Amino acid sequence: MNAFTTLSPADLERLARKRAGAKMGWYIHALVFVFVNAGLMLLAALQGLHWAVFPAAGWALGLAVHGAVVFIRLQRVGLFHSLLERERQALQAQRDPW
């Protein structure tokens, strides 16, 4: 049995919107990262310097953390619902001897 089958259609819709919003937020963050850092790299190159690598590295770390939170946390939500459903079934089996 799938862990999400016990959720109401409204709860499934809310969860789907939350997940899609989190992923969209990361994609926008990544797109802004690319454009801003490309501009900084261009500006640094016109000056003949290489300073733009430092803000890019720091921001890349932030983007990686943001991605880990979004994509790993979303998988954990599925794990949580699986464990929750398993506990419900175990409690129901204890309560209903037949």
Side-chain angles (χ1 to χ4, degrees), residues 33-46 51-52:
F33 169 82
V34 168
F35 284 119
V36 169
N37 283 294
L40 291 176
M41 294 285 181
L42 179 64
L43 184 61
L46 290 175
W51 55 264

Side-chain angles (χ1 to χ4, degrees), residues 1 7 13-14 17 24 34 36-37 41 45 50-51 53-54 62-64 70 74 80 85 87-89 94:
M1 179 188 232
L7 295 176
E13 178 69 19
R14 190 173 18 262
R17 286 182 177 276
M24 184 59 101
V34 168
V36 169
N37 283 294
M41 294 285 181
H50 301 289
W51 55 264
V53 71
F54 299 110
L63 185 62
V70 167
L74 291 181
F80 173 76
E85 183 60 30
E87 288 300 319
R88 281 186 185 135
Q89 290 174 358
Q94 288 175 0

Side-chain angles (χ1 to χ4, degrees), residues 12 14 18 38 41 64 79 81 84 86:
L12 280 174
R14 190 173 18 262
K18 182 178 178 179
M41 294 285 181
L79 174 63
H81 284 292
L84 182 62
R86 196 176 311 160

